Amino acid sequence: MEVLSRNDSSSASNASFKREDPLVDFKRNVDDFFLITNSIVICLMQCGFACLEAGSVRAKNATNIMMKNMMDMFICGACYWLIGYSLAFGTGSPLVGIGDYVAGRGLAAGALFSHWFFQFTFAATAATIVSGAVAERCTFASYLTYSAVISGIVYPVASHWAWSDEGWLSKLGYKDFAGSGVVHLLGGVCAFVGALLLGPRTGRFDNKTPQNETFAGHSTPLVGVGAMILFTGFLAFNGGSLGHISHHGDGELVAKVLANTALGGAGGALVTMALGRAGLAGQAGKWSFLISLNGALTGMVSVCASADQLQLWASIFLGAIAGPIYCFVSQALVRFKVHGGGGVWGLLGGAILRSDTVVAGDFGLAGLLIGYNLVGVLAIAAWAGGTCCILFGLLRRGNLLRVSQEEELEGMDRTKHSEPAYPGPPWHVKNNANAGEVFRNQAFVSEE
């Protein structure tokens, strides 16, 4: 995504817009419809995340994780309307937007509703990345808090740096077309900090559990359905980031972005599948479905930063390198290695493989872009990590972060919602004296 000034034709925020000009009005409507349509498809990514995470947790927590993914969109909507969009695209400072659009003020006058809606879906995506990393043990109150803070403050500030024409990263030369850093790295770092301060699930690293025994989710098909919905959502996520469709050559460029996104996923999926079959990832000598789909997601994340500037072979290569990044980073960091690892590689590798840098023989420009994007990586990681250390640290200090062991053992579908996802025998355990043994056959690790 380019800076906000690039989207003036679609948002009609410039004063020169004349409603009486039928051609200008038509182009604006076409651009608005382009953003709105892609935004609706991106909203389906919440369904993808919900299915993937629900399949990755134990059955006794499926309702809980589904509700969190549903509420992410609505919490984000309220917070992004109230303050988030103003922090992201308000004017007056290279560090943060001022109150131009607080509580939606100024959106109608600037005809910015389509741009607001598109950016809102990005904010919701950044926030929902965290839910899987803290699943099955995070209190609902702390979920409500971190979802509001990330979508209303943490993401908007980072997006102001990179995508507002006044942002300091934008002026520096940082390039991040569709959010490898602003969305995925930020969400991955938030997820990592939250999981670190929350601690592992009870029994996850119990000495009685074999080291190679991971906590299996309750529904692999549900994980697969969620991932395939996310694959579709990624196409709108990246394709819509151009912000308009009425300029000369826009149709061809959007098609190129979609092709690069699909091929980035192809590179990641094929390499991770081969690594799994070769015994270098997952269970030795197996054709792993879960490893392959996570490799595809990591590959798509890596293409986001430069999807508009890559040749097709470069997208496959980016994804092919992203696959091993997923496979060889510690299993305890699953959320970070998909979104954070893929995001960092996308920013740095994309700077090398863009069609206007090394491919064109311009090594100097490649070096500059790597430097600018590295500054962005460090800044976004420091901002997300620092704010989430404070946020999750305060929740932990106030004993608001983690549910009790009894609630964790019984499952939050019953203890928090009284709405178990599946009928049948109870999933809770009355005797939790030996939690490690109990969890061996009921545990999970989120594979997203």
Side-chain angles (χ1 to χ4, degrees):
M1 184 175 301
E2 300 175 24
V3 296
L4 177 58
S5 58
R6 189 237 24 227
N7 290 317
D8 283 347
S9 64
S10 63
S11 65
S13 58
N14 53 328
S16 62
F17 172 69
K18 298 180 180 180
R19 293 185 181 274
E20 64 270 17
D21 186 336
L23 180 59
V24 172
D25 190 46
F26 176 75
K27 291 177 67 176
R28 175 187 176 273
N29 285 332
V30 169
D31 289 338
D32 283 346
F33 187 75
F34 173 73
L35 279 178
I36 291 166
T37 303
N38 280 289
S39 301
I40 292 171
V41 177
I42 295 171
C43 287
L44 290 175
M45 294 183 79
Q46 295 296 133
C47 179
F49 279 116
C51 290
L52 189 148
E53 293 172 16
S56 296
V57 301
R58 288 160 294 179
K60 63 183 179 179
N61 292 306
T63 299
N64 177 261
I65 203 70
M66 291 290 283
M67 182 172 183
K68 288 178 178 178
N69 277 276
M70 179 191 74
M71 291 305 300
D72 268 333
M73 178 170 289
F74 301 119
I75 294 169
C76 172
C79 295
Y80 203 68
W81 162 78
L82 182 63
I83 191 173
Y85 187 79
S86 190
L87 292 176
F89 296 103
T91 59
S93 167
L95 294 177
V96 66
I98 312 301
D100 297 23
Y101 306 112
V102 170
R105 183 182 63 187
L107 292 180
L112 290 165
F113 288 118
S114 62
H115 187 259
W116 181 93
F117 186 47
F118 186 77
Q119 282 294 322
F120 144 69
T121 64
F122 272 49
T125 301
T128 205
I129 289 171
V130 181
S131 60
V134 298
E136 297 205 296
R137 63 217 191 272
C138 178
T139 68
F140 204 76
S142 62
Y143 151 74
L144 295 172
T145 304
Y146 80 66
S147 182
V149 171
I150 291 172
S151 60
I153 299 175
V154 181
Y155 167 79
V157 170
S159 61
H160 180 82
W161 295 351
W163 290 336
S164 168
D165 56 355
E166 292 186 343
W168 70 273
L169 279 178
S170 173
K171 290 183 175 180
L172 177 68
Y174 172 84
K175 301 294 183 184
D176 189 2
F177 178 74
S180 283
V182 178
V183 178
H184 296 286
L185 173 61
L186 181 141
V189 170
C190 293
F192 172 72
V193 172
L196 182 67
L197 293 181
L198 189 60
R201 289 163 290 280
T202 301
R204 172 67 177 87
F205 298 108
D206 193 285
N207 291 332
K208 296 180 180 179
T209 301
Q211 292 300 309
N212 62 349
E213 183 177 318
T214 59
F215 284 12
H218 85 277
S219 176
T220 298
L222 192 57
V223 173
V225 169
M228 286 184 279
I229 295 173
L230 288 176
F231 297 159
T232 304
F234 258 112
L235 299 176
F237 197 92
N238 290 1
S241 291
L242 183 61
H244 48 76
I245 196 64
S246 65
H247 296 183
H248 176 70
D250 278 355
E252 183 178 359
L253 182 54
V254 170
K256 177 182 177 181
V257 169
L258 300 183
N260 282 330
T261 303
L263 290 176
L270 291 170
V271 169
T272 50
M273 180 181 68
L275 290 172
R277 185 67 179 89
L280 299 176
Q283 298 184 33
K286 301 297 182 182
W287 300 101
S288 174
F289 173 58
L290 296 178
I291 288 178
S292 300
L293 73 83
N294 279 286
L297 290 171
T298 311
M300 287 185 165
V301 168
S302 71
V303 169
C304 289
S306 304
D308 61 329
Q309 294 291 332
L310 295 171
Q311 297 183 22
L312 299 184
W313 66 265
S315 295
I316 295 178
F317 185 80
L318 271 177
I321 300 299
I325 290 175
Y326 169 77
C327 289
F328 299 138
V329 176
S330 169
Q331 182 66 17
L333 308 176
V334 175
R335 249 331 146 114
F336 179 78
K337 62 188 183 180
V338 170
H339 297 280
V344 171
W345 166 240
L347 287 167
L348 303 182
I352 298 171
L353 294 173
R354 286 167 56 106
S355 57
D356 57 352
T357 56
V358 172
V359 175
D362 195 339
F363 293 89
L365 179 59
L368 286 174
L369 286 179
I370 290 172
Y372 297 151
N373 283 4
L374 182 59
V375 171
V377 166
L378 297 175
I380 291 170
W383 166 248
T387 52
C388 284
C389 278
I390 296 171
L391 171 63
F392 287 104
L394 289 174
L395 290 170
R396 179 175 175 176
R397 187 173 182 84
N399 200 30
L400 298 172
L401 185 58
R402 184 166 183 144
V403 299
S404 67
Q405 188 181 73
E406 289 75 15
E407 290 176 312
E408 186 178 351
L409 286 169
E410 186 166 351
M412 285 186 279
D413 286 4
R414 291 180 177 274
T415 61
K416 298 298 184 184
H417 308 287
S418 296
E419 296 171 331
Y422 302 99
W427 288 84
H428 65 284
V429 227
K430 294 181 179 179
N431 181 8
N432 62 0
N434 194 348
E437 286 295 331
V438 169
F439 270 68
R440 287 183 61 177
N441 293 320
Q442 295 189 41
F444 94 111
V445 62
S446 174
E447 277 294 322
E448 190 233 340

